Amino acid sequence: MGVEPEKIQQAMRSVTEAHEVLAEFHKEIVAFYGIVDEQLADAHGPVKLEPHMDGYIVRYPADKLKAPQDWVPKWIGRFYRDIAAESGGDDEDDAAKATQGKDADEGELNVAFVWIAAHAPADEAPDCSTPECWFGVAHPGVGSGFKDSWSAARYGVWYKLDTCSVLPGRWVEGEFSESGKFGKGGRWHARRVPLVELLDEERIRSLVTDPLRKKYAEVFAAGG
């Protein structure tokens, strides 16, 4: 027994409308990260941060999706690194790093991140009833197997940060277990803000980018 033509037409109209909504959602996410990128790189904070991979946006890992219907990204994120650390600094800085040996290398693994939780279920983010912005800093630990900040972020922090431990309204600190590629003393600091509170660029600065840069400087002041 075939499907009625009217139902097929309605389904196709719904698909088209849904695609338009998703396209608009993606456009707004890109615009949001454009604001965040600009603010993290300006001179208003203790450190300047730039996005990895020319602004690459990471999406919820496909191998972690729990159901065939679960294809819309729940988590969308971008990772950042210290511009000064990446450029190598001046000659005096380079000389100091050369004498520090391995300790200097650990600083290259410092991670900053800004994620969007589009629709996170309770077992991934308690009390996340509306879309939220999650941000923070992390380090995979001394002696980890990650070669740089990008690999530590994309293949470590993204998978292993315990989102269930991050409570609304304050900074939360946690640790990575010393297993796999994670080394000794791997830690993260994260905070949550509902997207409805980020109404303009000044609110994004006061609630996300300024606190993120201050936390980065505080946590990594001693070089990681």
Side-chain angles (χ1 to χ4, degrees), residues 39 53 75 99 124 132 141-142 162 202:
Q39 291 184 357
M53 301 294 286
W75 295 85
T99 63
E124 295 179 24
E132 295 184 351
V142 177
D162 181 11
E202 286 308 308

Side-chain angles (χ1 to χ4, degrees), residues 68-92:
Q69 299 85 358
D70 195 14
W71 64 274
V72 177
K74 295 178 184 178
W75 295 85
I76 304 166
R78 183 167 286 180
F79 295 104
Y80 297 85
R81 60 190 169 191
D82 185 347
I83 293 176
E86 189 65 22
S87 65
D90 56 25
D91 292 339
E92 184 176 344

Side-chain angles (χ1 to χ4, degrees), residues 15-25:
V15 169
T16 301
E17 293 169 0
H19 178 270
E20 293 173 353
V21 171
L22 286 174
E24 187 65 22
F25 170 73

